[in-house]
Amino acid sequence: MDQVEVTEEMRERILDGVEKKRGAQKAGRRRYIRSGLSLAACLALVLLGTAVVPQLFDGGTEEPPQEQTTVANGMEDVDSASALSDKVGFEVQDLTGLPFAAEHITYTSLWGETAQITYEGENQTVTYRKAPGEEDISGDYNVYDTVTETVAGETAVTLKGDGDRYVLALWTADGYSYALSLENPVTEEQIIKILEANF
């Protein structure tokens, strides 16, 4: 095979051609980036306009805040014990005497039949339920090692837990069933103290 000799003149023409091609590619990229930035700026203006313009033409009229309600599978969250009472059709009151500061309280109507209030604190969560009738409304179907019958005030209470620590209290009074469940176990004395503060 014959060898091809590249003269100095040919070499410079080839290199010039390569340089021109590279320059054209870079210019094309710059043009593409500029058009992309312009498109992004336009999109940002459109989004800003859709957020701001309706407020400018609102006329300053604000609707009064509506009661917050969330409904899922028959469970409806409301914003207070009073609103919960309205949803279930019987009086429900907040618990007092909890051994922790409640940082978050959730009021839930369970299918319009059972009232549930959940108190969440730093190291404990307490769920309180009330419903007409005399059956176990706790929703807790665990089998516990310890089941104790005791009295809080003048009310018979069933405590369930393991050893000498309890996570569930059940009782009935005046045609209603009640359940108090705790995320972390407490002593009988501690759970009775909570109950007696609310009888």
Side-chain angles (χ1 to χ4, degrees):
M1 191 170 197
D2 296 324
Q3 290 185 340
V4 176
E5 271 190 50
V6 176
T7 67
E8 189 61 35
E9 183 183 327
M10 289 173 67
R11 184 175 176 273
E12 284 197 27
R13 275 190 295 167
I14 292 170
L15 291 176
D16 282 343
V18 169
E19 282 298 316
K20 286 180 185 173
K21 184 116 174 145
R22 270 192 184 166
Q25 287 176 341
K26 284 183 183 179
R29 277 192 222 139
R30 275 189 240 126
R31 219 180 351 232
Y32 179 73
I33 289 171
R34 277 191 216 129
S35 66
L37 290 175
S38 298
L39 181 61
C42 289
L43 182 59
L45 286 174
V46 168
L47 291 175
L48 181 63
T50 59
V52 173
V53 171
Q55 293 175 357
L56 294 174
F57 294 107
D58 186 20
T61 59
E62 271 189 41
E63 293 183 25
Q66 300 293 317
E67 178 183 308
Q68 182 177 350
T69 303
T70 305
V71 180
N73 299 327
M75 296 185 283
E76 184 174 355
D77 288 347
V78 294
D79 63 354
S80 67
S82 174
L84 182 57
S85 297
D86 291 342
K87 290 292 178 187
V88 295
F90 52 85
E91 185 179 5
V92 183
Q93 295 180 348
D94 274 299
L95 290 180
T96 59
L98 294 174
F100 63 92
E103 297 169 359
H104 184 72
I105 303 173
T106 306
Y107 302 91
T108 308
S109 165
L110 306 177
W111 305 280
E113 301 169 356
T114 301
Q116 174 177 290
I117 306 175
T118 303
Y119 302 87
E120 296 176 60
E122 187 174 330
N123 296 315
Q124 184 66 281
T125 298
V126 172
T127 301
Y128 168 62
R129 286 183 174 182
K130 178 180 179 181
E134 295 186 0
E135 53 283 337
D136 179 349
I137 59 167
S138 68
D140 184 341
Y141 303 106
N142 293 310
V143 176
Y144 293 100
D145 293 338
T146 306
V147 177
T148 302
E149 300 293 329
T150 189
V151 175
E154 296 179 9
T155 304
V157 178
T158 302
L159 301 179
K160 295 183 179 185
D162 294 312
D164 63 347
R165 306 291 244 172
Y166 299 94
V167 293
L168 184 61
L170 305 168
W171 70 98
T172 59
D174 303 320
Y176 291 95
S177 293
Y178 298 84
L180 183 78
S181 41
L182 300 101
E183 182 177 12
N184 296 311
V186 296
T187 64
E188 179 177 344
E189 181 181 311
Q190 290 171 314
I191 204 165
I192 294 299
K193 193 173 182 178
I194 296 169
L195 297 178
E196 287 180 339
N198 293 283
F199 287 168

